[in-house]
Amino acid sequence: MGYQAKLRVWRGDDGAGELRDYTVEANEGEVVLDLIHRLQATQTPDLAVRWNCKAGKCGSCSAEVNGRPRLLCMTRLSVFDEDETITVTPMRTFPVVRDLVNDVSYNYVKAREVPAFTPPPELELGEYRMQQVDVQRSQEFRKCIECFLCQNVCHVIRDHEENKPVFSGPRYLMRIAELEMHPLDVADRVDQVQTEHGLGYCNITKCCTEVCPENIHITDNALIPMKERVADRRYDPVVWLGNKLFRRGER
């Protein structure tokens, strides 16, 4: 049975804009993206919104619904009261192109800064061998759909624009952790993740984990283990002494 839903949507760009109120027909079983599409079709054909799969797998329709970062296609209307106003705004951390569309190019810059998978040079394609337990360990991180909700909610860049040049954010720190845990990757990223990607800025509040639509345990399974590796390398006195003696022997 349908009803008239109250919708409040951000209209504007990075320079100026406002929240506008609309009333849109809603039906049982629908999601917020359905309301946005009906709003486009019936009242505001110039409303800009990014979407693709409508199945929670492309990460395109990221926005904030009543202040919480969500995928519009995975936010069911049934979680709201029928007389409740549903407020839809673009992600706050990234510049607004127009209406609900963000400029997320920051994330692609950071993606290019992550060193690629580096297998042993003596192995040819088809010769890679891994234990199943190692496959399963990194498989969780491979579920990432790059919706950038974790990047959006991370207060290190959400509240501090000046941190963006030196902080890669949880999505790409997770990528580095995945490569560092890979048994066939021979690159050493432990120092780099601290000095070039800003792992030290992360204070493990788990806000990235809370908004992940794929339920990836970003903090517990990627960021904290990576922090432990950095601590072992840089602050463990036994490791520090071993590094000093090893370097002295090379001279």
Side-chain angles (χ1 to χ4, degrees):
M1 183 176 178
Y3 65 95
Q4 295 298 308
K6 299 175 183 177
L7 200 59
R8 182 171 295 157
V9 182
W10 172 262
R11 304 300 309 275
D13 54 30
D14 203 34
E18 62 181 359
L19 288 168
R20 298 182 188 175
D21 291 316
Y22 303 94
T23 300
V24 186
E25 180 184 351
N27 299 301
E28 185 178 356
E30 291 188 327
V31 295
V32 173
L33 186 58
D34 290 317
L35 290 190
I36 296 296
H37 284 167
R38 189 167 294 121
L39 180 63
Q40 278 184 317
T42 60
Q43 301 179 49
T44 59
D46 62 337
L47 174 64
V49 60
R50 183 179 285 137
W51 71 284
N52 187 19
C53 73
K54 203 173 181 287
K57 292 302 178 183
C58 74
S60 299
C61 63
S62 299
E64 297 190 8
V65 182
N66 287 1
R68 182 178 176 82
R70 295 175 178 269
L71 294 178
L72 298 181
C73 70
M74 298 300 289
T75 305
R76 294 195 169 277
L77 298 182
S78 58
V79 303
F80 307 102
D81 294 331
E82 291 188 3
D83 60 349
E84 182 179 356
T85 298
I86 303 173
T87 302
V88 185
T89 57
M91 291 186 287
R92 199 183 88 181
T93 300
F94 310 113
V96 177
V97 177
R98 186 171 146 221
D99 299 337
L100 301 179
V101 176
N102 287 97
D103 176 3
V104 294
S105 56
Y106 158 82
N107 300 285
Y108 303 125
V109 171
K110 294 304 175 183
R112 287 192 292 268
E113 293 175 356
V114 177
F117 171 63
T118 309
E122 66 273 12
L123 291 182
E124 299 291 338
L125 291 177
E127 295 180 350
Y128 298 166
R129 297 293 183 270
M130 293 173 59
Q131 296 292 325
Q132 184 61 31
V133 65
D134 293 320
V135 174
Q136 292 171 343
R137 185 178 191 185
S138 62
Q139 192 65 33
E140 177 187 15
F141 308 140
R142 292 278 182 173
K143 294 192 300 180
C144 176
I145 60 175
E146 296 204 328
C147 61
F148 304 130
L149 292 181
C150 64
Q151 300 282 87
N152 174 58
V153 79
C154 179
H155 65 90
V156 177
I157 50 179
R158 186 180 178 95
D159 299 329
H160 301 278
E161 183 74 20
E162 69 276 11
N163 288 339
K164 285 186 177 180
V166 295
F167 184 67
S168 294
R171 192 279 169 265
Y172 297 106
L173 292 175
M174 179 178 70
R175 172 61 176 159
I176 296 170
E178 175 194 343
L179 293 170
E180 184 66 20
M181 295 173 186
H182 199 295
L184 292 180
D185 189 281
V186 297
D188 186 347
R189 299 176 173 82
V190 174
D191 289 325
Q192 186 184 55
V193 73
Q194 185 78 357
T195 59
E196 299 181 23
H197 298 279
L199 179 63
Y201 284 86
C202 172
N203 59 7
I204 57 176
T205 57
K206 297 190 179 184
C207 50
C208 52
T209 300
E210 290 177 0
V211 299
C212 179
E214 289 293 324
N215 297 312
I216 303 172
H217 294 82
I218 304 172
T219 308
D220 290 339
N221 293 349
L223 304 188
I224 290 178
M226 199 69 228
K227 279 179 170 287
E228 290 172 345
R229 293 187 181 214
V230 171
D232 287 343
R233 170 75 61 83
R234 299 170 71 93
Y235 306 112
D236 188 301
V238 176
V239 175
W240 177 86
L241 180 60
N243 288 336
K244 284 290 186 180
L245 294 175
F246 180 75
R247 290 172 185 165
R248 182 180 301 172
E250 288 182 331
R251 296 173 183 172

